[in-house]
Amino acid sequence: MQNLYENTQELDNRACALYGLEPSLLMENAAASLHQELDKRAQGLKNVLVVCGGGDNGGDGYALARRLRGSKYSVQVLSAKEPKSALCQIQYQRALASRVEILPALELCQTPQVVIDCLLGSGLKGALSQELQDVIHSLNALNALKIACDVPSGLDAHGFIESVAFRANLCVSMGALKSGLFSDGAKDFVGEVVVANLGVGQDLYEEDSVLFLLEKSDLVLPWRVKQNTHKGYFGHVGVVVGAQSGAGLLSAKSALAFGAGMVSVLGAPTLRYIKPAEIMYSPTIPQQATAFALGMGLDTLPKNLEQMLALAPCVLDAGVFYEKALVHILKQPYQVVLTPHPKEFLSLLQMLGHQLDMPELLRFKLKWAHAFSQAYPHIVLLLKGANPIIAYSGQIYINPLGSSALAKGGSGDVLSGMIAALLAQGYSLLDAALNASLAHALAGSADPHSYSLTPSKLINALATL
């Protein structure tokens, strides 16, 4: 798990104050880190184009070009904007003194094999000019290795892309990881993300954060260590199945596959005849249940919902987010994990009295998830998306490991069952959401054919983790 930051300017200032560094030294170290990452990946590629803007990101680019001049690389600079910041002007003059070839138009440059984007970085404010949009479109069309300095140009601090963004194979984030690099919108533009050392170790550069990036190594699977035991030791999940029974049955099957000792489905008597043989049917709430999952395929909230909530932790999904009675539930001290997708979360926020629309939510998902977790600190929110967000008590965790293979009907139902399984086995609300999300993402990547994943294959893949 790594720290994330919305902005690292304060970290830069802190490093300079604590360790006697100068901003110019940080810039030189940024250029050195870019040079190092280029060497790792160039693999014989020689023609390098550094695209520079007028701010400090452009200064990083001019410093890099100076380092590359006279080396094994043939380097040119596309000066897309006049140098404006003090450090950029200094690095521009140094590049000129080093006889770096600086050109005003892409058409004048040699065909590059590597493009390094030092145009805007994290300094983007407001809309891109049409001229810069055209430059980025032209860069994206090049058949070259593409490296972004700090943040792909066109991506704002929230990870939102208003018009166009540089599509990088590699993003070198300066000093620490920025949360905007892990938004849903950024996923197709950042490529691999690495952190540049700015002259002070990461543990010294960083400070405490409420934002975290999950990693594969964070996954804690429900391994069975105790041998002298029985099925009841591993919990009993109750899954409420509605009229669209397929959704609830998928949740039940995934709960059993992810370690729950027993799984019962609750609902219409006809479930007795359509449920899988290994799943039990219960006409009433099983009093020995240690977790519940509901909402999948449901049209309304069950009348006995609060009885279930009083008995054991519950995963609430899908249909519940359109029911006004949920507002009352959230105010009670129940143990709840919510698993909405953005449209469902929007419905919930609007029921809670917030005035916003879908574009606002999508642009500021992190902000709204954080605000919700502060207003309801006893509840875990798992907001689905290309990079799911898990929010609890003012802390935010982002899972970047999923892929579009999971964009299939039923994938979310599988996730709900997985969370319930971990809750039934004694995981905390937060740990159940984090680990189920990680396992769900990794299992979704097990099939080499991203288009062919089905919920059943996803459940089977849990055994391969």
Side-chain angles (χ1 to χ4, degrees):
M1 190 179 301
Q2 297 191 60
N3 288 342
L4 293 173
Y5 303 88
E6 289 189 18
N7 188 297
T8 57
Q9 185 59 57
E10 289 186 7
L11 297 182
D12 282 356
N13 296 340
R14 175 176 172 273
C16 289
L18 287 179
Y19 310 117
L21 305 178
E22 295 291 338
S24 59
L25 180 58
L26 298 186
M27 183 169 285
E28 289 294 339
N29 288 329
S33 292
L34 286 169
H35 192 171
Q36 183 179 45
E37 295 299 334
L38 173 63
D39 284 344
K40 287 180 184 177
R41 292 164 174 80
Q43 297 181 342
L45 303 177
K46 300 295 185 183
N47 295 341
V48 178
L49 176 65
V50 183
V51 184
C52 293
D56 286 353
N57 199 250
D60 293 342
Y62 287 117
L64 171 64
R66 188 193 75 242
R67 291 178 60 93
L68 299 181
R69 176 74 172 89
S71 70
K72 63 183 178 181
Y73 299 103
S74 172
V75 61
Q76 292 180 319
V77 169
L78 170 60
S79 182
K81 297 187 74 176
E82 180 183 347
K84 289 186 178 179
S85 76
L87 285 176
C88 187
Q89 290 175 355
I90 290 170
Q91 295 293 359
Y92 174 75
Q93 292 299 327
R94 289 174 179 172
L96 287 177
S98 302
R99 293 181 296 168
V100 172
E101 188 176 8
I102 300 174
L103 300 168
L106 183 60
E107 295 76 18
L108 301 175
C109 301
Q110 64 186 352
T111 302
Q113 296 171 306
V114 181
V115 177
I116 301 180
D117 166 29
C118 300
L119 184 56
L120 298 169
S122 57
L124 175 63
K125 294 179 177 64
L128 287 173
S129 68
Q130 187 59 54
E131 181 183 5
L132 290 182
Q133 289 183 45
D134 291 344
V135 169
I136 294 173
H137 277 300
S138 296
L139 297 176
N140 285 342
L142 294 171
N143 181 22
L145 171 65
K146 299 183 178 74
I147 300 174
C149 173
D150 204 23
V151 173
S153 293
L155 196 72
D156 73 11
H158 304 286
F160 180 75
I161 300 168
E162 186 166 312
S163 52
V164 63
F166 182 75
R167 194 180 295 271
N169 303 111
L170 172 72
C171 180
V172 183
S173 184
M174 295 303 163
L177 292 173
K178 295 165 182 65
S179 57
L181 297 173
F182 300 96
S183 71
D184 289 350
K187 198 172 181 78
D188 288 317
F189 292 86
V190 297
E192 180 188 355
V193 180
V194 298
V195 176
N197 186 306
L198 297 182
V200 60
Q202 197 165 350
D203 288 346
L204 296 178
Y205 178 81
E206 294 183 354
E207 58 183 355
D208 290 343
S209 177
V210 298
L211 302 173
F212 305 96
L213 183 73
L214 296 176
E215 300 174 290
K216 183 178 180 180
S217 59
D218 295 318
L219 175 61
V220 179
L221 290 168
W223 296 110
R224 296 189 171 188
V225 178
K226 185 176 175 64
Q227 300 303 314
N228 180 21
T229 187
H230 55 86
K231 60 189 177 184
Y233 183 82
F234 300 103
H236 185 167
V237 175
V239 179
V240 180
V241 179
Q244 299 179 46
S245 59
L249 292 174
L250 282 173
S251 294
K253 290 174 68 176
S254 69
L256 194 66
F258 208 43
M262 296 178 285
V263 178
S264 297
V265 289
L266 295 73
T270 52
L271 287 173
R272 300 174 186 267
Y273 310 110
I274 63 172
K275 67 173 182 62
E278 63 269 29
I279 303 295
M280 300 182 292
Y281 171 74
S282 180
T284 59
I285 297 174
Q287 293 303 301
Q288 72 275 31
T290 50
F292 293 95
L294 60 122
M296 306 76 60
L298 287 181
D299 295 326
T300 60
L301 290 175
K303 294 179 180 179
N304 56 1
L305 172 57
E306 292 209 54
Q307 294 177 17
M308 288 183 268
L309 288 164
L311 183 62
C314 288
V315 181
L316 302 183
D317 190 24
V320 304
F321 299 110
Y322 301 98
E323 296 292 325
K324 291 184 178 180
L326 181 59
V327 174
H328 165 75
I329 297 295
L330 298 182
K331 296 176 181 178
Q332 309 309 311
Y334 296 130
Q335 296 186 74
V336 175
V337 178
L338 305 179
T339 58
H341 57 55
K343 184 179 178 182
E344 293 162 348
F345 189 46
L346 177 64
S347 172
L348 174 58
L349 290 174
Q350 290 174 339
M351 287 193 298
L352 292 171
H354 297 288
Q355 302 296 318
L356 75 159
D357 55 16
M358 185 59 75
E360 158 80 8
L361 174 59
L362 293 179
R363 185 165 191 167
F364 302 108
K365 278 178 70 176
L366 218 57
K367 182 192 81 170
W368 284 105
H370 185 254
F372 179 88
S373 74
Q374 289 183 308
Y376 302 94
H378 61 294
I379 290 172
V380 170
L381 169 70
L382 192 160
L383 181 55
K384 297 169 184 171
N387 285 336
I389 295 169
I390 299 97
Y392 178 62
S393 194
Q395 293 192 319
I396 301 287
Y397 304 81
I398 299 178
N399 178 4
L401 302 179
S403 72
S404 57
L406 291 167
K408 285 280 183 77
S411 292
D413 305 317
V414 172
L415 176 61
S416 295
M418 292 170 63
I419 298 171
L422 295 184
L423 290 172
Q425 293 170 85
Y427 283 56
S428 69
L429 295 177
L430 178 60
D431 286 342
L434 294 178
N435 286 288
S437 179
L438 285 168
H440 188 255
L442 295 170
S445 302
D447 193 323
H449 303 100
S450 60
Y451 58 85
S452 68
L453 185 70
T454 65
S456 294
K457 286 184 178 181
L458 181 59
I459 293 171
N460 292 337
L462 295 176
T464 68
L465 298 178

